[in-house]
Amino acid sequence: MPQLDELYREVVLDHYRHPRGHEPVESPNFCSEGFNPTCGDQVRLAVALDEGRIDELEVRCQGCSISVASGSMMAELLRGRTEAEVLELAVQFKSMMHGKPIAPEVELGDLEALQGVAKFPVRIKCALLAWTTLQEALERLRAEREKGAAGPMAV
Ligand code: ZN
């Protein structure tokens, strides 16, 4: 489907040229950085949460078009989502990038334009960089909370 490929390419290039999520987050709950040594892509995230939802999300990627576009799409897709929704979307996006079908009820928005990347194994890490970085940060946050909750009980 050359026409579809062309459309997808346009979507990816648009995010690459005009990345979303560049507005600085004034008082983030957490920041995180990620690096993809295979390609040299770097990402920096700042996240402000409000009652378990992503209130503000700053995503700054430096690297190839796929990593930048994926981070930009992530910034657009995740605002207002709960942590559980974010982790679920990350799982779905990852399985899409490994060539598996996405559950029909899942809306990945512009990320679907990255579907073709699944055919290029070396680029999959580029597409996943921002997501993996966010996912790991959320998991660390969760672990810290659990430790915090267990702390007083242990005393
Ligand atoms: Zn890359």
Side-chain angles (χ1 to χ4, degrees), residues 59-134:
V59 180
R60 287 188 183 268
C61 277
Q62 266 189 329
C64 69
S65 56
I66 293 170
S67 68
V68 173
S70 175
S72 166
M73 291 167 183
M74 185 180 88
E76 202 167 60
L77 187 68
L78 295 188
R79 201 155 295 155
R81 305 274 185 167
T82 65
E83 287 173 43
E85 285 169 341
V86 169
L87 293 173
E88 176 58 22
L89 283 165
V91 167
Q92 293 291 339
F93 179 53
K94 273 189 190 177
S95 75
M96 181 184 96
M97 291 318 296
H98 289 101
K100 296 190 195 109
I102 323 160
E105 69 276 11
V106 177
E107 289 284 341
L108 288 177
D110 284 352
L111 282 169
E112 290 182 19
L114 292 173
Q115 224 157 16
V117 176
K119 286 179 243 151
F120 304 95
V122 290
R123 310 311 298 279
I124 294 175
K125 278 190 180 156
C126 305
L128 292 180
L129 177 64
W131 285 86
T132 308
T133 305
L134 180 61

